[in-house]
Amino acid sequence: MRTVAVIGAAAGDCVLSVARMPRSGEDIAAHDHGWQIGGCAFNVLRALARLQLPIINGIRVGNGQWGQRVRQALSELGVSPFFR
């Protein structure tokens, strides 16, 4: 079995919902449904981890609030974060 190197980025999304799209210039309230980590490279890495395939993680992780969330999501997958 070959090891897959995943190189790219993770993205953080704030998930919100609205009852309808606002009209031009109108403000409406949104309901917060939390956050999730995604992005093309992270989604590929997550799929490979769930398939229990060997992975080399090349997704860099920052030090801020979203970096902590990416680190947490990687940890939940059993993948070590990549630091430079």
Side-chain angles (χ1 to χ4, degrees), residues 10-12 35-38 42-43 45-46 49-50 57 61 65-81:
W35 56 271
Q36 64 185 24
I37 301 299
F42 184 84
N43 292 339
L45 184 136
R46 178 176 25 223
R50 288 179 177 170
N57 178 19
V61 179
Q65 174 184 359
W66 285 102
Q68 291 172 356
R69 291 176 175 179
V70 171
R71 248 188 311 285
Q72 177 185 347
L74 289 170
S75 175
E76 290 170 4
L77 294 171
V79 176
S80 298

Side-chain angles (χ1 to χ4, degrees), residues 1-76:
M1 187 176 301
R2 294 185 178 180
T3 301
V4 180
V6 179
I7 301 168
D13 297 318
C14 295
V15 183
L16 305 171
S17 68
V18 293
R20 62 178 176 77
M21 294 299 291
R23 294 185 190 95
S24 180
E26 178 184 27
D27 292 331
I28 60 173
H31 300 281
D32 183 1
H33 295 283
W35 56 271
Q36 64 185 24
I37 301 299
C40 294
F42 184 84
N43 292 339
V44 168
L45 184 136
R46 178 176 25 223
L48 294 170
R50 288 179 177 170
L51 292 170
Q52 299 179 346
L53 296 172
I55 302 165
I56 296 173
N57 178 19
I59 297 174
R60 292 189 61 191
V61 179
N63 296 317
Q65 174 184 359
W66 285 102
Q68 291 172 356
R69 291 176 175 179
V70 171
R71 248 188 311 285
Q72 177 185 347
L74 289 170
S75 175
E76 290 170 4

